[in-house]
Amino acid sequence: MPVWLQGKLIEKKQWSAGLVSLKFSTNRPLKFTAGQFVNVGLDTNETTVSRPYSLINTPHDPLLEIHFNVVEEGLLSPQLAKLAIGDNVKISERANGLLTLDEVPDVPNLWLLATGTGIGPDRKSTRLNSSHTDISRMPSSA
């Protein structure tokens, strides 16, 4: 059974009819590495519906940020898109995932390719100082 942090919606941006960014504060700090994801959940009826979302903020930012496409028939994304400032969500206490720069082999050039909301983790990774000081070029479309 997952352990949850209490998240509160602080900022919401509607980029288009189906693309939303949300920023949350949490009741406790969340340690994570750029490129990891958390589960975000809402209580519905007698259960919690949750889905994984990549964090697009850096680990040093005070707020956690996600962005996502609204799936009209989805169980969670339409509900997240309807949240108002101050509404509460659940955020997994532990971040997961290996899409981190620490997992990239030592290479002279690093290309990060993404489409849609996948650009979020790429943009974040290019803004961070990484342990890969030997990467001479890290082009990004963002």
Side-chain angles (χ1 to χ4, degrees):
M1 185 165 226
V3 177
W4 298 103
L5 299 175
Q6 179 182 350
K8 181 179 277 193
L9 182 61
I10 302 299
E11 188 178 322
K12 177 179 180 178
K13 183 160 185 170
Q14 186 86 35
W15 295 94
S16 67
L19 182 62
V20 179
S21 291
L22 303 176
K23 289 186 180 182
F24 302 101
S25 64
T26 55
N27 59 322
R28 291 191 314 272
L30 175 72
K31 290 185 179 184
F32 70 95
T33 300
Q36 290 189 304
F37 66 90
V38 294
N39 283 301
V40 177
L42 289 174
D43 288 329
T44 59
N45 299 327
E46 301 170 12
T47 186
T48 298
V49 176
S50 67
R51 298 287 182 270
Y53 291 95
S54 293
L55 294 167
I56 64 169
N57 57 290
T58 67
H60 308 293
D61 293 335
L63 300 177
L64 302 179
E65 184 176 6
I66 63 171
H67 71 202
F68 57 94
N69 289 316
V70 178
V71 178
E72 288 185 29
E73 61 280 353
L75 294 176
L76 185 60
S77 64
Q79 301 306 317
L80 289 175
K82 292 177 187 174
L83 290 175
I85 302 301
D87 284 349
N88 293 319
V89 299
K90 292 181 174 182
I91 298 173
S92 58
E93 181 179 61
R94 186 171 169 232
N96 294 289
L98 297 174
L99 182 61
T100 63
L101 290 177
D102 292 338
E103 296 296 322
V104 174
D106 290 332
V107 294
N109 298 305
L110 177 63
W111 289 84
L112 302 172
L113 305 173
T115 62
T117 60
I119 196 71
D122 283 359
R123 288 190 63 209
K124 173 185 50 201
S125 295
T126 60
R127 291 192 317 246
L128 291 174
N129 292 328
S130 84
S131 60
H132 290 277
T133 56
D134 60 331
I135 296 175
S136 58
R137 289 181 28 209
M138 191 176 348
S140 172
S141 61

